Amino acid sequence: MNTMYKLVRERSGIIAAYATTLGLFVLVSFPGVVRLPTPEPVLAQQQAQHEYLLSESQEVSERPAEILSGKPARLVIPSMNIDMNILDGSYNPSTGEWDLGKDTIHFALPSVLANDFEGTTLVYGHNYDEIFGQLEGLPPEAKVQLYTENNLKFEYTYTSAKDLLPNDTTIFDYRGAPTLTLQTCTGNWNELRRMYSFRLDGVTQLQ
């Protein structure tokens, strides 16, 4: 099980590619639509995205004996009546676009798996009212449950939101306690990206 739960961390090449690829939401032909342009190098990086092995230079004492992690499969926000399945969000070299549906949300595959150790798990979607548009009214300390494909339940608490310019990729430099980030477009012309941050409260293994 430890093998399944290992995260991958390659601090230089992979993270740099992620910052280049998922660093922005760009307005297309009409409001509410999100497009995430991606350079070709990310395709190779996606092959290693979840083998996030700890650096040999890192002290063993810095990490737990077992890291619980899993690919996001479902997102529940009770206070907003949100209960949605999460699809994979990957880059399509034929169209030059990321997966994105009018009524779906996606786990950005280049971000880290939901885990109890480190990093930010990124889930993105349209700012339509029936998807992530309603997050604008998210109450303080709102609770979120994220369920994974391997029957883990991650529980988070809403902490903050901020709007970033498209060229701000600092989210990918984060190496602190594990968090969940929900991302959508905002601004008069969807020219900004809004990042909703949630701290991890705990993980439960479901039957």
Side-chain angles (χ1 to χ4, degrees):
M1 182 172 291
N2 278 340
T3 300
M4 178 185 299
Y5 289 154
K6 278 187 177 179
L7 296 173
V8 180
R9 181 151 126 231
E10 297 180 6
R11 289 181 177 269
S12 53
I14 290 181
I15 296 304
Y18 295 169
T20 305
T21 65
L22 284 181
L24 52 95
F25 276 149
V26 176
L27 174 68
V28 289
S29 58
F30 53 91
V33 173
V34 173
R35 179 174 295 174
L36 300 106
T38 306
E40 292 299 321
V42 78
L43 298 178
Q45 301 292 359
Q46 285 182 344
Q47 300 301 317
Q49 60 199 353
H50 295 314
E51 295 172 3
Y52 195 40
L53 298 173
L54 296 172
S55 169
E56 291 182 0
S57 64
Q58 190 174 28
E59 295 295 333
V60 174
S61 60
E62 294 181 12
R63 63 182 187 270
E66 179 178 72
I67 299 171
L68 296 177
S69 72
K71 186 178 1 176
R74 178 185 168 207
L75 180 75
V76 178
I77 309 179
S79 60
M80 307 302 292
N81 293 317
I82 291 177
D83 187 340
M84 301 186 69
N85 291 331
I86 302 173
L87 305 180
D88 288 350
S90 60
Y91 177 65
N92 184 333
S94 299
T95 63
E97 298 178 357
W98 283 82
D99 296 322
L100 191 67
K102 293 182 178 180
D103 57 357
T104 57
I105 57 177
H106 298 263
F107 165 53
L109 288 172
S111 69
V112 300
L113 296 171
N115 74 90
D116 62 351
F117 178 48
E118 179 185 86
T120 296
T121 301
L122 179 62
V123 176
Y124 65 89
H126 280 300
N127 64 353
Y128 298 151
D129 288 342
E130 60 272 23
I131 307 180
F132 280 171
Q134 60 183 306
L135 293 180
E136 188 172 354
L138 199 64
E141 299 291 306
K143 303 299 181 181
V144 171
Q145 292 96 47
L146 187 147
Y147 297 84
T148 66
E149 291 183 349
N150 56 337
N151 295 319
L152 293 174
K153 177 184 178 182
F154 287 80
E155 298 183 83
Y156 300 88
T157 295
Y158 173 50
T159 57
S160 64
K162 61 182 176 180
D163 297 340
L164 300 179
L165 294 171
N167 62 352
D168 188 332
T169 60
T170 54
I171 185 174
F172 296 99
D173 298 326
Y174 177 71
R175 289 292 177 274
T179 63
L180 170 68
T181 297
L182 304 183
Q183 178 177 348
T184 192
C185 291
T186 191
N188 292 332
W189 302 99
N190 288 319
E191 72 278 13
L192 300 173
R193 54 192 177 95
R194 178 160 294 175
M195 317 297 285
Y196 295 89
S197 298
F198 303 79
R199 70 168 182 267
L200 178 66
D201 295 328
V203 186
T204 304
Q205 177 71 64
L206 303 177
Q207 298 297 325

